[in-house]
Amino acid sequence: MALVNGPIDMVRNICGVKDSWRLKVRVVRLWKSCSKNDPKKVFSLEMVLVDAEGARIQASIRKPMIRKFADVVVEGEVYKMIHFAVVKNLGNFRATKHEFKLIFNSRTTVFRAESQLIPEFGLSLSSSEDIRKTKGESEYLYDGKTTRLIVLELTDDKGKIRCTLFGDYVDKVNEFLSLSGTQLTVVVIQFARVNTYKGEVGLVNVFNTSRLLWNPQIVEAIDFRKSVACHEVDSDICIGFLDDDIQSLSMKDEFLNSFPRKNLEELQTCEEDGFFVVLATVLSIIDDHWWYSACSCNRSVTTDDEGQNYCTNCATYVSQVTPRYKLKLLVCDCFETATFILFDSHCRYLLNKSCEEMLSISKVESSPTFPDELKQIVGKEILFKVQKNADVSFFYDDDAYKVKKICDDTEIIEEFKTDGSIVTPKKV
């Protein structure tokens, strides 16, 4: 214990002249380095450590030491640590700019600590201009395999840059957009890689490593949002589509010409991957919990015994929350019934009222369940666009499908009924 409680070294001073460095740091990121062919085969645990000065360094727990430290080191916590092997920071992906990295060994000692001075995320922000000046890799491949991807166009006061996200990160983007609608979003991307594709410098995620923070309640993001007007960006602008491979679709094209049609029975039994359009009638609202309190990241918050709201997604207490819709519907067609989940943007589209306005109506009515105005959805015939993946579950709450988009336009619905064509999507 005396060794750990001695004078603390700063991360910026770490070099290869000794191995008895004594640190007080926060683990701001922790991930597994796995075999591409067998994700269950773990080679090492990798982490990024940050100290009170905001200086960062990467550290590794290699396979022989994993059992010793796997349950000791937790992402987000602060520790005192001593004794590491210090090596040059080399390799295909370097999570920090530090010249060296640390290797845990049998002499490494770790104790839990506390500090309000060490940053929570250890951000080191770069502008789009900084990234464009960086010489990226010539190409980006993932083990020669095809994988799902989505391309985001990010804007700051220095210009625009593209960010390509692969694999599970696509689901994270889609989930956020389904919860938030398409309003302007501040996103923080950590531990991404700079690459060059077709002569254009941009960002790509690193599997299991990169972190996405949506509308985080941190000083950097709050200040950026406040300065949006100075960047000549409309704060009410909607998120659109890039015009290369993904094009903006009209409501008619999206529901009639772009995705395969299924009845509910086919939806539940099909083994195809992709988006599907279903025509169904709302039988009932099957849950009295029709709204939730949301953080600015649009995830629900929990309230502790002292009445404070905590967001697990942002890992912080939040002072301002917003009510958002979450309706659980029983729907049917001529073949089957199913449970669909509608989130805030869809409910606002159908009801033409915000959740906050609907709550005010509910208080006036003193309704023990939900306001009568919500019941206007019951009996309504709606086109639902849902996503299904044979390998990944897209179910929520007792096998309920999460809806991606809706349409209640009567002309489009009638055309849907009379036109029997089916479009097969490209598999990704």
Side-chain angles (χ1 to χ4, degrees), residues 31-44 91-93 137 139-147 166-168 193 204-209:
W31 70 96
K32 295 177 181 179
S33 176
C34 305
S35 167
K36 293 180 181 178
N37 297 321
D38 183 6
K40 295 181 180 179
K41 188 176 182 180
V42 180
F43 296 132
S44 66
N92 293 328
F93 174 65
E137 300 170 336
E139 58 183 344
Y140 185 84
L141 298 175
Y142 178 57
D143 199 29
K145 299 178 181 178
T146 301
T147 184
F166 294 86
D168 292 342
R193 190 198 301 259
V204 295
N205 67 276
V206 180
F207 286 88
N208 298 330
T209 307

Side-chain angles (χ1 to χ4, degrees), residues 319-338:
S319 57
Q320 293 185 335
V321 295
T322 304
R324 298 181 69 85
Y325 289 109
K326 181 184 177 183
L327 286 185
K328 191 173 182 180
L329 305 179
L330 180 65
V331 302
C332 72
D333 58 14
C334 297
F335 302 92
E336 188 58 87
T337 61

Side-chain angles (χ1 to χ4, degrees), residues 251-315:
M251 184 77 79
K252 183 174 180 178
D253 282 340
E254 185 160 10
F255 282 91
L256 297 182
N257 305 319
S258 301
F259 302 99
R261 307 172 182 195
K262 300 287 183 184
N263 59 48
L264 291 176
E265 182 180 11
E266 292 169 338
L267 177 68
Q268 294 172 4
T269 58
C270 75
E271 296 182 355
E272 300 172 68
D273 295 351
F275 294 97
F276 302 98
V277 175
V278 177
L279 178 63
T281 301
V282 179
L283 285 180
S284 62
I285 302 171
I286 58 176
D287 194 336
D288 293 345
H289 300 93
W290 56 274
W291 67 279
Y292 65 97
S293 295
C295 173
S296 60
C297 71
N298 298 323
R299 298 292 186 89
S300 62
V301 300
T302 57
T303 305
D304 62 20
D305 295 337
E306 297 178 357
Q308 291 184 303
N309 296 310
Y310 185 79
C311 176
T312 54
N313 184 57
C314 298

Side-chain angles (χ1 to χ4, degrees), residues 23-289:
L23 306 177
K24 187 174 184 179
V25 291
R26 187 186 303 275
V27 180
V28 293
R29 195 60 170 155
L30 176 67
W31 70 96
K32 295 177 181 179
S33 176
C34 305
S35 167
K36 293 180 181 178
N37 297 321
D38 183 6
K40 295 181 180 179
K41 188 176 182 180
V42 180
F43 296 132
S44 66
L45 297 181
E46 302 291 326
M47 69 191 82
V48 173
L49 310 177
V50 63
D51 66 11
E53 293 183 340
R56 304 184 302 173
I57 191 168
Q58 188 171 344
S60 296
I61 303 174
R62 293 179 177 169
K63 193 171 183 178
M65 294 288 107
I66 289 179
R67 180 174 294 182
K68 178 179 178 180
F69 293 104
D71 296 330
V72 175
V73 180
V74 178
E75 183 175 284
E77 298 297 334
V78 176
Y79 299 91
K80 288 184 178 180
M81 304 177 176
I82 189 172
H83 285 306
F84 314 88
V86 181
V87 300
K88 285 284 188 178
N89 187 16
L90 305 174
N92 293 328
F93 174 65
R94 295 184 292 277
T96 76
K97 296 180 180 179
H98 203 291
E99 182 182 357
F100 296 92
K101 68 183 293 186
L102 307 175
I103 307 296
F104 281 48
N105 56 38
S106 59
R107 297 181 62 212
T108 303
T109 304
V110 178
F111 286 95
R112 201 71 162 266
E114 294 184 1
S115 175
Q116 300 297 322
L117 301 177
I118 300 178
E120 182 179 359
F121 295 108
L123 295 180
S124 177
L125 299 179
S126 300
S127 68
S128 59
E129 183 179 46
D130 295 332
I131 295 169
R132 286 192 297 272
K133 291 178 179 178
T134 302
K135 182 180 179 181
E137 300 170 336
S138 59
E139 58 183 344
Y140 185 84
L141 298 175
Y142 178 57
D143 199 29
K145 299 178 181 178
T146 301
T147 184
R148 293 174 300 146
L149 67 86
I150 190 170
V151 180
L152 306 179
E153 184 176 77
L154 309 178
T155 302
D156 64 7
D157 61 327
K158 302 296 183 181
K160 297 179 180 179
I161 196 164
R162 291 197 177 195
C163 176
T164 305
L165 302 175
F166 294 86
D168 292 342
Y169 290 83
V170 176
D171 296 334
K172 295 177 182 178
V173 174
N174 286 332
E175 181 180 6
F176 174 80
L177 292 179
S178 70
L179 291 171
S180 66
T182 56
Q183 294 304 305
L184 186 69
T185 297
V186 175
V187 57
V188 176
I189 302 176
Q190 268 189 297
F191 311 118
R193 190 198 301 259
V194 178
N195 86 320
T196 302
Y197 180 69
K198 293 183 178 180
E200 183 179 359
V201 176
L203 297 173
V204 295
N205 67 276
V206 180
F207 286 88
N208 298 330
T209 307
S210 298
R211 172 193 277 152
L212 301 180
L213 301 173
W214 303 98
N215 292 326
Q217 292 297 299
I218 57 176
V219 173
E220 294 88 346
I222 293 171
D223 289 345
F224 180 80
R225 181 173 285 281
K226 289 179 180 178
S227 67
V228 159
C230 298
H231 299 165
E232 299 182 352
V233 177
D234 183 359
S235 61
D236 293 323
I237 193 172
C238 290
I239 298 174
F241 292 95
L242 297 179
D243 55 7
D244 279 358
D245 300 321
I246 303 173
Q247 298 182 351
S248 181
L249 298 172
S250 68
M251 184 77 79
K252 183 174 180 178
D253 282 340
E254 185 160 10
F255 282 91
L256 297 182
N257 305 319
S258 301
F259 302 99
R261 307 172 182 195
K262 300 287 183 184
N263 59 48
L264 291 176
E265 182 180 11
E266 292 169 338
L267 177 68
Q268 294 172 4
T269 58
C270 75
E271 296 182 355
E272 300 172 68
D273 295 351
F275 294 97
F276 302 98
V277 175
V278 177
L279 178 63
T281 301
V282 179
L283 285 180
S284 62
I285 302 171
I286 58 176
D287 194 336
D288 293 345
H289 300 93

